[in-house]
Amino acid sequence: MASLQTASGHPLDGTLAEWVWLLPLLPLLGALVNGALVLWPRLVGAPDASLETREAEVQRRLTGSRLLTTLVGPGVLLLAFGLALGLFATMRGADALTEPFIRSYGSWMPAGSLTIDWALQLDQLSMLMTLVITGVGFLIHVFSTGYMAADAGYARYFAYLNLFVAMMLVLVLGANYAVMFVGWEGVGLASYLLIGFWFSERANAEAGRKAFIVNRIGDFGLLVAMFLLFSTTGTLDFTGAHAGMAIATPAVLTAVALFLFLGCTGKSAQLPLYIWLPDAMAGPTPVSALIHAATMVTAGVYLVARAAPIFAGAPEVSLLIAVIGAVTALFAATIALRQWDIKKVLAYSTVSQLGYMFVGVGTGAYAAGVFHLVTHAFFKALLFLGAGAVIHAMHGAYHHAHDHTSDPQDLRNMGGLSRWMPLTSGAMWVATLAIAGVPPLAGFFSKDEILASTFARAHGSPLAEASLLGVSGSGLLYGVYAIGLVTALLTAIYMTRLMLLAFTGANRTGAPAAEALHEAPSVMTAPILVLALLTLIGGWLNLPAILPLGPAHLLGDWLEPVTGASTRVLAGEAHLDHGTEMALIGVAVAIAAVGIVIAFLRYRSPVRTASESAPELGIGALVHDAYRVDAGLDRLVVRPLGAFSASVLWKGLDQRLDRAFVSGGQALARAAGYAHDRLGEGDVGRFAWVITIGALALLAAFTVR
Amino acid sequence: MTDFAEPGALLGALLPEITLLLGTLILLLVGAWGGESSSPTRRSARFALGIVGVTAVAVVFAWLRGDGFTTDDRLTGDGFRWAIDLVLLLGTAGALAIFDTEQLRTRAYQAEIPVLMLLALSGMMIISASRDLMFTYIGLELMSIAVYVLAGANRSSARSAEASIKYFLLGAFASGFLLYGIALLYGAVGDTRLSALGAATPSAMYLVGVALLLVGFAFKVGAVPFHLWTPDVYDGAPSPITAFMAACVKASAFAMLLRVMAEGIGPAIVHWHPVVWWLAAITMVVGNVVALAQPNVKRMLAYSSIAHSGYLLVAVLAYSQEAAAAVVFYLLAYTLATIGAFAVLGIVSEGRETTVTIDDLSGLWHVRPGLAVALSVCLLAFFGFPIAGGAGFFAKWYVIQAALASHTPLTVLVVVLVLASVVSAGYYLTAISAMFNRPRPSQLPMPVQTPLLSGIVMVVAVVALLVLGVFPTPASRLAAAATLRAAPLATPVAGTMTVSAPTVAATEDAGSTP
């Protein structure tokens, strides 16, 4: 495919786009350099040198390592972002960009009819993702230099973070499913490493492991989808495979789409595979912002948009995606209502917002889903970074007061923080209003577009005519729309609740700790403020045509060559007249306002601190424990499986086999070695005899028949 | 195609050998001169490295000129010859660099050792060019006699001397079988050219000749049960010489075996196929199982090299052009891993007369992480581990592929190969685990800083292995270009290749209808 396009000439040939390979390479180099900087202080040689000079040398190198890491870690991201901007300008300048720009950098797996190249693909979708990843990624790297400044694993942290960005770029830039899968697994690895970054605590290490294992289930789906794609179309290139799937039978198409979506539910934390994401908050907070809010978890949304031609051919699966997205959105939003841990609220909120994105791409409104992905990257990264600043301040305050029992992440221990952290508080209010859907902030436009297109497609589209388990698509889509509205209400409530508990009212940290509360250093507030600005204006990326605020559908037009055809397939005849559209906007705004008001009425009253609060009872406790899904899974699956493997597989089978086979083999090897050594002990004459006997045997084999 | 009978063509075809021999003679004179150098041996080694480099250029030049042959079929210029030559030159260069380090440390060697290595190399290059058993034999003896002396290079070590004399006596014994086999073949066919042997109808005398020839070859490649000399000689010989033997002598022996089997004794394939089948199977099993019980790293690598002979015999049995390419790729990967591993062992065994044991590798990662990583990559390459073992994985992969795609699919043998490889994890991974998982015992000396040449060898070997492990295509393409010129491999002898290996004995008449 790549060679074909090169032959016919591509508008981007010979432009800056030829440097696309540098994008993933830059952060990868950063990861290598930072990795080397981790080792550097440890590799102080000459053990015979005196202990003091050795110690001094180690200290000197540690200081140098820190300085270099601070330069290299965010530096490579800045370079990559600059390059991405340059590429974007080049693409804007080029005309007739209907085909993706593909470059192959060598053959990876030539095996029979399967040829997989190390190929990168630059098109409107991957360009947009690259801008988000490098741009938001750079801001979060800068924030991290402040947040992680005192951590002993500073260089290691940036090595992992750079590795993550490199892999994320491979994921979105790969030109075939196999290269994308490399990135897919690579970000999984980086996520695992960063969730368990403070691995000396058992819970953190286990959270990392959980994320990794749960993702395996999704990856299984993705792999099966890839096998099916190859056996059906004979290629894994996006262009070739999607063209080939156009003539596949509906059954195969549906199967591929289903398995692809299974992969998405794992990576993007949708029902039923969402359980790893809340635990993933064990990692450092900037990691949660970058990986578990802005970029990696949206990979599933990216994949659905990327494979839009496949999903457009399987309306039932698209319908299923929308339903699962909606149910996940509602489910997670209810849990977020009852969380006390500031990061847990944001984690469930992320799961919920990802659900929205899947409603978008599920209903075939690919541009809307991706639009929400982008705005969510802005405001959710901002919320996480703000939470990071709060936790940073709380942690410092408790540290100052020598209080090692209070939880710096518990909302009940905060209160009135806006007095000390006006910037953080202000920026987070902006993000809260955005996620709640208050116009004219970014979240309002993207959420509204998703809800509007859901409503529109409930009538007259192939989705409405399809059915799922006997329920008509039309009914389902109206249901999805209703769930979306309820979720919007809940979102407004739980986010306002978070803000009220954390930043208003009386301070509950206690006097000795409160005196050490302070605003975060400027290296941390600056990225937050930049993100706040993006949250304010992000909506202008894709304005609805109906509101006279500026040029409409910029993002939709930009993505037109990638997803436009598929969008039209799933939209069919569906459309909204102006009156309905205005009404929908009015409903959405009213819902957001009602939610905020409810929260103000409900959460104005004073709260007790975490240590003074009585444990919750009844339905509240059930929601607080996230419906005890984890406990249930533990009791139903994990523990029985563990018991089975311990008693039957391990003690019953493996240990016995071990004794019989391995020990026996060991004894055999010892015996053989011993016998052989006796045979081979020194004596040339004996060797000559063995050769002679061997030669006679050989001769006999030749002549005696 | 050029005929070497054309004016100047023969000279061109022999240019690499002539370059090498001239260089060797000059080196000998330089060595004899003595001169003012404080370390004539190291100067000699570096000079020899230069000669190897120039010879490599000549080989590349000759390969680019294209195929060539003599009208009477005694000498060939096919890709297989040049590819093997390049592998041999690579191995020799590595061994010379390790030798330089060894000399820096022990000062136990004479300036003539590099001369002997180059002489052995020229013997090997003659073997890879020859299509006449007499030429082959001359090359073989040129190589062997030089290597006998090399095994005893350390004159202050009794073990080295013992290795030398043992190798010499047994080598001479095996040479006798080989020469007798050649004589019988000459008696049967009236010719020693491979083309004539390949066109003959096997008689009883022919078959006995082939059998004796095989005994000689099996000794040289170290196939069980003709392998008993290997551990003693590998262990007793100085490390650089062991590396030289393990890499180059083995590569050369396999080049000889493959060419003679493919071009010369094809008519008797029904007779030797089952024999070599069993040799391969037994060699793989015995080599790997006995290696498990070796605490001494050099002895372990000796048995490992026996096991690798078994794997290579599988490729030889597959008897196709793909198999020839697989052998070339395998030898390249194996040579890289061998010189890399011995370069590390040379540093680790610093200052001790006794050879390195697994215990001496304990905790190497904590003191010299670079060495530990390099040795691990080489061992994983021997093991055939993907990615981390680099080209070693693809080497085995191509062998298995060729064996299964062969005219008579060697399914059972491939199963044995894979199982034997699994067993080999037992000793390769034990050594790696010792380096990374055990603490460094305090009584173990700190390995010295790596001298420049050894460092280069390690870096080149490891980087080449890893790069070829991700991008094997360029090397495998080159290996595929290294075809044998003679026809039999491409089109198997009619009627003989269709019988499956273990049942060949049952089809008695097949042998008489080549």
Side-chain angles (χ1 to χ4, degrees):
Chain A
M1 270 318 196
S3 56
L4 270 179
Q5 258 142 24
T6 318
S8 66
H10 190 277
L12 292 179
D13 281 349
T15 62
L16 188 66
E18 302 282 358
W19 291 81
V20 61
W21 53 271
L22 198 56
L23 273 175
L25 200 66
L26 276 169
L28 188 64
L29 280 178
L32 290 178
V33 170
N34 286 329
L37 287 173
V38 175
L39 290 180
W40 188 45
R42 298 190 195 173
L43 294 182
V44 179
D48 44 306
S50 78
L51 208 59
E52 290 81 46
T53 50
R54 217 175 117 82
E55 201 52 40
E57 172 68 10
V58 171
Q59 279 309 322
R60 198 180 65 75
R61 288 194 184 186
L62 272 177
T63 320
S65 156
R66 236 161 229 282
L67 186 67
L68 282 172
T69 306
T70 310
L71 288 176
V72 172
V76 288
L77 261 284
L78 185 62
L79 289 177
F81 183 54
L83 178 59
L85 281 179
L87 287 173
F88 179 63
T90 313
M91 285 179 79
R92 285 293 297 272
D95 43 66
L97 268 186
T98 49
E99 296 291 320
F101 172 81
I102 299 174
R103 276 290 173 272
S104 172
Y105 303 98
S107 173
W108 177 21
M109 282 190 239
S113 63
L114 172 70
T115 51
I116 294 174
D117 286 1
W118 286 111
L120 298 183
Q121 162 168 347
L122 194 65
D123 62 5
Q124 288 79 358
L125 180 59
S126 55
M127 186 69 250
L128 181 71
M129 293 298 290
T130 303
L131 282 172
V132 172
I133 293 161
T134 53
V136 176
F138 170 64
L139 293 175
I140 292 171
H141 273 68
V142 172
F143 181 90
S144 299
T145 58
Y147 190 83
M148 300 297 285
D151 200 280
Y154 191 66
R156 183 165 62 92
Y157 173 82
F158 275 99
Y160 293 164
L161 212 58
N162 281 346
L163 175 72
F164 167 77
V165 174
M167 285 303 160
M168 193 68 207
L169 288 172
V170 170
L171 197 166
V172 297
L173 287 170
N176 55 52
Y177 281 95
V179 173
M180 189 204 73
F181 193 69
V182 170
W184 189 272
E185 291 301 303
V187 291
L189 169 70
S191 158
Y192 163 77
L193 291 171
L194 283 164
I195 294 170
F197 183 74
W198 291 306
F199 55 80
S200 48
E201 292 218 6
R202 194 177 173 81
N204 298 347
E206 283 190 347
R209 216 169 53 180
K210 184 169 170 187
F212 208 75
I213 292 169
V214 173
N215 266 299
R216 292 281 75 66
I217 303 173
D219 295 345
F220 156 78
L222 187 51
L223 278 174
V224 172
M226 280 163 61
F227 298 153
L228 279 172
L229 272 174
F230 174 67
S231 66
T232 316
T233 67
T235 176
L236 286 178
D237 294 343
F238 288 138
T239 42
H242 293 165
M245 287 308 284
I247 48 167
T249 59
V252 173
L253 206 59
T254 307
V256 170
L258 263 180
F259 280 114
L260 277 181
F261 181 57
L262 180 58
C264 298
T265 54
K267 197 56 102 203
S268 293
Q270 296 295 291
L271 281 174
L273 298 182
Y274 72 97
I275 45 173
W276 64 270
L277 187 56
D279 287 25
M281 296 299 128
T285 308
V287 168
S288 311
L290 178 61
I291 302 185
H292 305 119
T295 54
M296 183 187 84
V297 290
T298 61
V301 181
Y302 164 80
L303 178 57
V304 177
R306 170 59 73 205
I310 295 178
F311 287 101
E316 290 85 3
V317 180
S318 286
L319 209 52
L320 178 72
I321 295 176
V323 170
I324 288 196
V327 174
T328 308
L330 180 65
F331 178 79
T334 56
I335 301 176
L337 277 177
R338 280 288 180 155
Q339 295 306 306
W340 291 116
D341 184 321
I342 186 169
K343 287 184 73 181
K344 282 279 162 70
V345 177
L346 294 177
Y348 282 108
S349 161
T350 304
V351 174
S352 172
Q353 295 297 311
L354 287 166
Y356 265 118
M357 294 177 212
F358 276 104
V359 170
V361 292
T363 54
Y366 297 104
V370 173
F371 181 31
H372 197 54
L373 186 164
V374 174
T375 57
H376 177 258
F378 296 155
F379 59 69
K380 190 50 72 58
L382 162 51
L383 286 171
F384 266 114
L385 292 190
V390 167
I391 294 166
H392 193 69
M394 292 287 293
H395 187 79
Y398 281 136
H399 193 71
H400 176 79
H402 303 292
D403 181 348
H404 299 298
T405 51
S406 299
D407 181 0
Q409 302 194 14
D410 198 307
L411 287 167
R412 287 169 294 194
N413 294 343
M414 298 176 184
L417 290 181
S418 60
R419 208 182 322 157
W420 291 277
M421 316 181 70
L423 287 177
T424 307
S425 158
M428 283 182 77
W429 271 113
V430 172
T432 301
L433 294 179
I435 193 175
V438 172
L441 299 169
F444 162 71
F445 293 108
S446 53
K447 195 187 282 185
D448 178 63
E449 195 180 339
I450 290 174
L451 290 176
S453 39
T454 310
F455 192 83
R457 282 162 174 71
H459 194 74
S461 72
L463 286 174
E465 274 139 40
S467 66
L468 205 63
L469 300 174
V471 185
S472 83
S474 180
L476 281 175
L477 284 180
Y478 282 124
V480 166
Y481 175 73
I483 295 179
L485 282 185
V486 175
T487 308
L489 179 73
L490 296 180
T491 309
I493 296 177
Y494 70 69
M495 280 313 301
T496 313
R497 165 182 176 265
L498 182 151
M499 294 304 293
L500 292 175
L501 286 173
F503 289 104
T504 65
N507 179 261
R508 297 182 292 273
T509 41
E515 69 189 35
L517 283 171
H518 59 87
E519 178 62 284
S522 55
V523 72
M524 286 162 71
T525 48
I528 293 181
L529 293 178
V530 174
L531 285 168
L533 181 69
L534 289 171
T535 306
L536 279 171
I537 61 170
W540 267 259
L541 281 176
N542 205 28
L543 289 173
I546 194 167
L547 295 178
L549 294 170
H553 292 311
L554 286 180
L555 193 84
D557 293 344
W558 173 254
L559 291 177
E560 166 68 24
V562 187
T563 58
S566 311
T567 307
R568 278 188 293 280
V569 168
L570 283 185
E573 304 289 306
H575 75 283
L576 287 177
D577 54 55
H578 279 220
T580 321
E581 198 170 348
M582 285 308 279
L584 290 183
I585 289 178
V587 169
V589 174
I591 289 258
V594 169
I596 292 173
V597 170
I598 291 179
F600 263 94
L601 295 176
R602 174 94 171 65
Y603 297 104
R604 254 337 221 187
S605 53
V607 210
R608 293 161 191 270
T609 61
S611 49
E612 294 163 359
S613 307
E616 289 174 78
L617 295 168
I619 195 106
L622 182 68
V623 178
H624 175 259
D625 295 344
Y627 301 109
R628 308 221 173 94
V629 171
D630 265 336
L633 273 180
D634 192 51
R635 200 161 302 158
L636 282 177
V637 180
V638 179
R639 263 191 255 168
L641 209 63
F644 177 72
S645 51
S647 58
V648 179
L649 291 180
W650 178 39
K651 287 190 182 129
L653 214 61
D654 189 71
Q655 284 202 334
R656 264 176 223 173
L657 270 182
D658 192 49
R659 236 167 276 144
F661 187 76
V662 178
S663 320
Q666 197 181 16
L668 188 73
R670 288 245 173 83
Y674 180 81
H676 204 271
D677 280 353
R678 295 290 80 73
L679 186 69
E681 217 164 44
D683 190 352
V684 178
R686 211 179 316 177
F687 287 4
W689 270 112
V690 175
I691 292 178
T692 312
I693 293 167
L696 286 174
L698 221 149
L699 266 175
F702 264 74
T703 46
V704 181
R705 317 241 108 193
Chain B
M1 295 284 237
T2 45
D3 188 337
F4 292 153
E6 287 167 21
L10 187 58
L11 198 65
L14 289 176
L15 189 64
E17 282 79 2
I18 293 171
T19 313
L20 179 61
L21 279 168
L22 269 180
T24 311
L25 291 178
I26 296 171
L27 181 61
L28 188 60
L29 290 176
V30 172
W33 200 270
E36 301 305 311
S37 171
S38 57
S39 177
T41 307
R42 294 187 64 207
R43 186 185 59 187
S44 170
R46 279 152 195 236
F47 197 100
L49 267 175
I51 297 168
V52 167
V54 174
T55 311
V57 173
V59 168
V60 171
F61 176 70
W63 195 351
L64 291 177
R65 273 166 48 106
D67 257 4
F69 57 95
T70 46
T71 315
D72 66 352
D73 261 349
R74 286 174 198 273
L75 200 61
T76 180
D78 59 13
F80 186 73
R81 167 185 173 186
W82 305 124
I84 291 292
D85 281 355
L86 286 180
V87 172
L88 294 172
L89 287 162
L90 176 73
T92 310
L96 278 167
I98 304 171
F99 173 77
D100 181 73
T101 302
E102 181 89 355
Q103 170 66 10
L104 177 70
R105 193 189 89 198
T106 58
R107 311 212 164 271
Y109 304 98
Q110 307 299 309
E112 282 74 20
I113 300 302
V115 177
L116 284 166
M117 287 167 80
L118 292 191
L119 277 175
L121 176 64
S122 53
M124 298 171 191
M125 286 173 65
I126 290 172
I127 293 174
S128 69
S130 144
R131 301 193 67 220
D132 184 311
L133 285 179
M134 284 322 292
F135 280 6
T136 305
Y137 186 74
I138 288 169
L140 185 69
E141 286 306 296
L142 182 52
M143 167 183 92
S144 300
I145 293 170
V147 177
Y148 299 150
V149 182
L150 283 174
N154 188 350
R155 293 194 298 185
S156 58
S157 159
R159 289 169 62 243
S160 180
E162 185 193 332
S164 173
I165 196 75
K166 216 180 252 178
Y167 192 25
F168 166 62
L169 288 174
L170 293 168
F173 190 57
S175 251
F177 281 97
L178 186 67
L179 196 55
Y180 196 21
I182 296 174
L184 286 176
L185 281 172
Y186 180 74
V189 181
D191 206 334
T192 53
R193 282 175 301 161
L194 296 182
S195 54
L197 294 177
T201 310
S203 58
M205 194 194 265
Y206 186 98
L207 289 182
V208 176
V210 169
L212 294 179
L213 207 58
L214 274 183
V215 173
F217 288 164
F219 178 85
K220 284 294 167 198
V221 302
V224 178
F226 308 102
H227 67 293
L228 284 168
W229 58 276
T230 319
D232 279 7
V233 176
Y234 277 24
D235 189 22
S239 285
I241 305 305
T242 311
F244 185 63
M245 284 194 285
C248 299
V249 174
K250 173 147 303 191
S252 171
F254 264 100
M256 166 170 77
L257 180 66
L258 186 65
R259 190 182 290 283
V260 170
M261 285 183 138
E263 302 188 354
I265 58 177
I269 185 164
V270 281
H271 292 92
W272 61 252
H273 201 274
V275 172
V276 178
W277 195 99
W278 281 108
L279 275 183
I282 297 174
T283 305
M284 287 189 282
V285 172
V286 171
N288 280 316
V289 170
V290 178
L292 279 177
Q294 304 299 325
N296 174 337
V297 178
K298 267 168 99 183
R299 282 189 92 86
M300 181 191 94
L301 286 179
Y303 282 107
S304 138
S305 99
I306 291 169
H308 282 280
S309 291
Y311 306 148
L312 278 161
L313 281 175
V314 176
V316 170
L317 267 183
Y319 211 65
S320 61
Q321 289 290 14
E322 289 74 45
V327 168
V328 171
F329 190 88
Y330 201 106
L331 288 174
L332 173 65
Y334 174 77
T335 299
L336 285 169
T338 304
I339 59 173
F342 277 98
V344 177
L345 290 183
I347 309 282
V348 176
S349 66
E350 172 66 21
R352 269 168 304 154
E353 173 64 18
T354 54
T355 45
V356 186
T357 63
I358 304 248
D359 290 334
D360 295 332
L361 295 177
S362 297
L364 187 60
W365 161 254
H366 302 296
V367 286
R368 297 295 302 281
L371 292 180
V373 168
L375 186 53
S376 303
V377 169
C378 293
L379 291 178
L380 288 173
F382 281 138
F383 176 34
F385 196 85
I387 309 291
F393 167 73
F394 281 101
K396 257 185 200 149
W397 173 256
Y398 290 141
V399 167
I400 292 175
Q401 214 173 21
L404 291 179
S406 146
H407 233 261
T408 18
L410 303 163
T411 318
V412 177
L413 208 51
V414 166
V415 171
V416 175
L417 189 158
V418 172
L419 290 180
S421 296
V422 172
V423 172
S424 75
Y427 53 94
Y428 293 134
L429 297 188
T430 307
I432 293 173
S433 155
M435 286 190 282
F436 286 87
N437 290 348
R438 287 196 215 161
R440 184 75 178 170
S442 54
Q443 77 276 12
L444 278 184
M446 183 81 170
V448 280
Q449 285 298 321
T450 313
L452 180 67
L453 275 177
S454 270
I456 294 176
V457 169
M458 281 177 222
V459 171
V460 167
V462 168
V463 169
L465 280 173
L466 291 178
V467 168
L468 288 179
V470 184
F471 296 105
T473 329
S476 66
R477 257 194 216 133
L478 209 60
T483 48
L484 291 149
R485 187 172 68 78
L489 273 181
T491 49
V493 188
T496 54
M497 289 298 290
T498 48
V499 274
S500 78
T503 57
V504 164
T507 54
E508 288 165 35
D509 58 338
S512 55
T513 55

